[in-house]
Amino acid sequence: MATRWNGPRRAVRLGGLPFAAAALTATVALYMALVAFGNVTDFGTNREFVRHVLAMDTTFKDDDLMWRAVTDRTLQDIAYVAIILWEALAAAVLVTGAVLWARGLTGWGTGYRRARQVSTLGLVMVLLLFGAGFIGIGGEWFAMWQSQKWNGLQAAERNFVVAGFVLVLIHLPSAQWTSPGG
């Protein structure tokens, strides 16, 4: 693990699990922030996606499933705004986690314990959004998998796997987590 001095008593620890955790947490934070920003600044595009998924208007329209459809535009928009708020909150938590990792790496923080806790919270939020929200509810309950045009399962699965990988990485057992400062 490389160490680069940054000031009289502070060292930046490059390489190793804490550095990887910091970089990957920051990457997921950036991604979630850009997703939330894009949904706010281009509100209509993904609103249409959410509306079509909830309305189930491009599925096979099986009578046994269509009772699940949500066609009220107000309810659809409430769901979409809730998704955006969740994305923004997850991004904020992950940015906080990335800052805590950076503080731990530079020796300005009290270690990595809090960074792991905060990052875990943010990553679980991402997992819930893409796993429970998009894969479970959107994909199965609203039969998004049946739609050729409004099917976001591949993107949701990709995001779920990335967040899950980072979560596993930050919980790998290693003596590096206790250095510096626990």
Side-chain angles (χ1 to χ4, degrees), residues 50-71:
V50 170
R51 282 181 172 177
H52 285 288
V53 169
L54 295 179
M56 300 174 68
D57 58 359
T58 59
T59 64
F60 301 161
K61 297 188 180 170
D62 183 335
D63 289 338
D64 293 331
L65 297 179
M66 290 307 293
W67 63 270
R68 301 175 184 176
V70 175
T71 56

Side-chain angles (χ1 to χ4, degrees), residues 11 19 26-27 38 45 52 61 63 69 123 127 132-133 167-168:
F19 180 76
T27 299
T45 299
H52 285 288
K61 297 188 180 170
D63 289 338
L123 292 164
L127 291 168
L167 183 63
V168 168

Side-chain angles (χ1 to χ4, degrees), residues 68 78 96 165:
R68 301 175 184 176
I78 289 169
T96 303
F165 172 79

Side-chain angles (χ1 to χ4, degrees), residues 36-120:
F37 179 77
N39 284 337
V40 169
T41 59
D42 183 19
F43 190 82
T45 299
N46 282 331
R47 177 177 62 181
E48 287 307 306
F49 177 88
V50 170
R51 282 181 172 177
H52 285 288
V53 169
L54 295 179
M56 300 174 68
D57 58 359
T58 59
T59 64
F60 301 161
K61 297 188 180 170
D62 183 335
D63 289 338
D64 293 331
L65 297 179
M66 290 307 293
W67 63 270
R68 301 175 184 176
V70 175
T71 56
D72 182 271
R73 289 193 176 253
T74 301
L75 291 177
Q76 293 169 344
D77 289 347
I78 289 169
Y80 182 48
V81 169
I83 290 168
I84 295 171
L85 291 173
W86 190 265
E87 292 165 345
L89 183 59
V93 170
L94 288 166
V95 165
T96 303
V99 168
L100 291 169
W101 284 115
R103 290 180 58 135
L105 287 168
T106 59
W108 288 97
T110 59
Y112 302 125
R113 184 171 163 262
R114 188 76 178 133
R116 288 173 88 184
Q117 291 172 334
V118 172
S119 296
T120 296

